[in-house]
């Protein structure tokens, strides 16, 4: 059969870079709740004195990306970390209306900003 043009060849470099980035982000998820810190230095890890307060978006937004990275690399740790974070946030929704706050303490799991919007 006909070979595809050479510019269609792929050597896996982007997946290797994505795996490296994922490994650098994983320390952010190492909190008592599993909800990640909002900041991670890609060279040094979690900054000294980093606030434990994370936004709802920051705490739960990496689920799709981390799960896809797990599936593409065969390393389940990325997806597991993101699922744990999402589950931890979901478990902390309000009892009466099932709503989530805006900001949460990643160490205690307590909402620091309980307002919600639609």
């Amino acid at each position: 059969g006909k070979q595809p043009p050479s510019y269609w060849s792929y050597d896996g470099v982007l997946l290797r870079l994505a795996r490296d980035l994922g490994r650098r982000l994983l320390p952010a998820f190492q909190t008592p709740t599993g909800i990640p810190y909002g900041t991670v230095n890609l060279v040094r890890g979690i900054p000294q004195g980093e606030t434990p307060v994370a936004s709802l978006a920051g705490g739960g937004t990496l689920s799709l990306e981390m799960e896809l990275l797990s599936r593409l690399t065969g390393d389940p740790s990325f997806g597991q970390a993101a699922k744990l974070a999402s589950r931890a946030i979901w478990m902390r929704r309000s009892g009466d209306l099932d709503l989530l706050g805006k900001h949460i303490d990643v160490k205690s799991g307590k909402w620091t900003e309980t307002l919600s919007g639609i």
Side-chain angles (χ1 to χ4, degrees):
K2 188 176 177 183
Q3 292 291 343
S6 63
Y7 56 81
W8 287 112
S9 66
Y10 176 64
D11 64 358
V13 67
L14 294 177
L15 184 55
R16 286 192 298 276
L17 290 171
R19 180 185 313 204
D20 178 61
L21 179 60
R23 287 181 179 152
R24 292 170 189 252
L25 291 174
L26 279 178
F29 291 85
Q30 294 172 357
T31 65
T33 61
I35 301 168
Y37 282 101
T39 302
V40 60
N41 181 303
L42 296 178
V43 174
R44 295 180 194 88
I46 307 305
Q48 186 84 351
E50 172 64 14
T51 178
V53 177
S55 69
L56 172 63
T61 193
L62 292 174
S63 297
L64 178 65
E65 294 87 348
M66 295 292 267
E67 180 61 28
L68 182 58
L69 185 57
S70 279
R71 290 176 186 234
L72 291 173
T73 62
D75 181 347
S77 63
F78 306 114
Q80 287 171 347
K83 284 179 195 174
L84 177 63
S86 293
R87 186 173 295 122
I89 290 170
W90 181 250
M91 290 172 49
R92 288 166 172 83
R93 65 194 186 280
S94 68
D96 50 346
L97 297 174
D98 281 344
L99 296 176
L100 302 169
K102 289 183 183 178
H103 297 95
I104 192 165
D105 186 305
V106 301
K107 292 182 178 180
S108 70
K110 295 189 185 306
W111 292 104
T112 61
E113 175 65 64
T114 57
L115 294 177
S116 291
I118 298 177

